[in-house]
Amino acid sequence: DSGVTQTPKHLITATGQRVTLRCSPRSGDLSVYWYQQSLDQGLQFLIQYYNGEERAKGNILERFSAQQFPDLHSELNLSSLELGDSALYFCASSAARPLGYGYTFGSGTRLTVV
Amino acid sequence: GDSVTQMEGPVTLSEEAFLTINCTYTATGYPSLFWYVQYPGEGLQLLLKATKADDKGSNKGFEATYRKETTSFHLEKGSVQVSDSAVYFCALKNFGNEKLTFGTGTRLTIIP
């Protein structure tokens, strides 16, 4: 157990629908990162939150949004889903700032859009 | 911008063979470098890291040395096991940017 909890583990939904993925960071970590992993695109950075505020944005579609709550858990909202959104979505957390710190990853949510 | 280039996969080796997975990077300044491993059905786990030039990261028999002159961080293991079968990702984090930049990953399969 890495300490980063993602729910649900699997999600199957239809095109056009909206889903919410949840992430609880490791205790004490203030930063949360969301990544999308697909077969053809590899690991794509979506967005980062630090202590409730958006810190960095990557290749996140306008149909996607995220937030980090006061208790530091984060949610990634995916709307108007398309077949191409099927992927593994990973959340990771890290301690603040130090360059030498890596991330701790959750086990991911596998989203299948049918 | 920062980028990481990894050896194309997949790589298939026999048990006890020597492993090298190449990784080179492009970045300004002095980034920290990482290797992550993803076992089937799991998330990524930090395997090893190095934070400055000539540092050697090591863990579970794997090693990688931060070579600034060649901008490389190649992963090596002297004798691989079937349990090392996984996808390996090289990554960097640069000053002023907390985002980890990943390579495309290299799938490693070890056959008995």
Side-chain angles (χ1 to χ4, degrees):
Chain A
D1 181 7
S2 68
V4 177
T5 303
Q6 286 189 251
T7 57
K9 289 195 180 309
H10 303 277
L11 202 47
I12 301 175
T13 190
T15 54
Q17 295 298 305
R18 172 189 169 94
V19 297
T20 297
L21 313 183
R22 182 188 169 102
C23 169
S24 294
R26 197 177 55 164
S27 178
D29 286 353
L30 299 179
S31 279
V32 169
Y33 310 79
W34 286 97
Y35 279 80
Q36 179 193 58
Q37 185 181 34
S38 57
L39 281 174
D40 56 343
Q41 299 261 356
L43 266 170
Q44 297 289 314
F45 169 70
L46 297 178
I47 198 163
Q48 177 203 354
Y49 278 82
Y50 175 77
N51 202 21
E53 294 188 4
E54 184 183 302
R55 170 84 72 173
K57 224 171 195 178
N59 302 320
I60 187 166
L61 300 172
E62 284 190 14
R63 299 183 286 110
F64 296 180
S65 65
Q67 55 184 326
Q68 186 179 27
F69 295 86
D71 66 353
L72 300 179
H73 91 271
S74 178
E75 293 181 356
L76 179 67
N77 301 296
L78 315 176
S79 61
S80 303
L81 284 167
E82 302 174 359
L83 295 177
D85 297 327
S86 296
L88 262 172
Y89 290 84
F90 285 108
C91 166
S93 70
S94 75
R97 310 303 179 129
L99 191 60
Y101 276 76
Y103 297 168
T104 301
F105 278 82
S107 55
T109 294
R110 181 173 293 281
L111 173 66
T112 304
V113 182
V114 297
Chain B
D2 299 340
S3 67
V4 176
T5 302
Q6 259 185 262
M7 172 178 177
E8 293 277 332
V11 174
T12 302
L13 295 172
S14 297
E15 206 166 18
E16 299 183 3
F18 184 86
L19 168 71
T20 300
I21 300 178
N22 290 338
C23 170
T24 57
Y25 67 91
T26 301
T28 56
Y30 300 89
S32 289
L33 302 174
F34 304 84
W35 276 100
Y36 278 82
V37 58
Q38 185 179 27
Y39 297 105
E42 298 183 15
L44 280 74
Q45 302 174 24
L46 178 63
L47 181 59
L48 53 84
K49 68 177 183 181
T51 57
K52 61 183 189 296
D54 300 325
D55 264 2
K56 178 185 283 188
S58 61
N59 186 24
K60 300 182 181 179
F62 290 90
E63 293 183 340
T65 301
Y66 189 143
R67 301 284 188 204
K68 187 154 178 67
E69 64 275 15
T70 54
T71 62
S72 66
F73 193 53
H74 305 320
L75 183 68
E76 296 182 337
K77 186 174 185 182
S79 176
V80 292
Q81 306 300 312
V82 172
S83 57
D84 294 326
S85 298
V87 181
Y88 292 81
F89 292 89
C90 185
L92 71 80
K93 191 185 337 179
N94 211 347
F95 182 78
N97 183 355
E98 293 162 42
K99 175 173 74 75
L100 268 175
T101 299
F102 285 91
T104 52
T106 302
R107 182 175 298 279
L108 173 67
T109 302
I110 307 300
I111 54 176

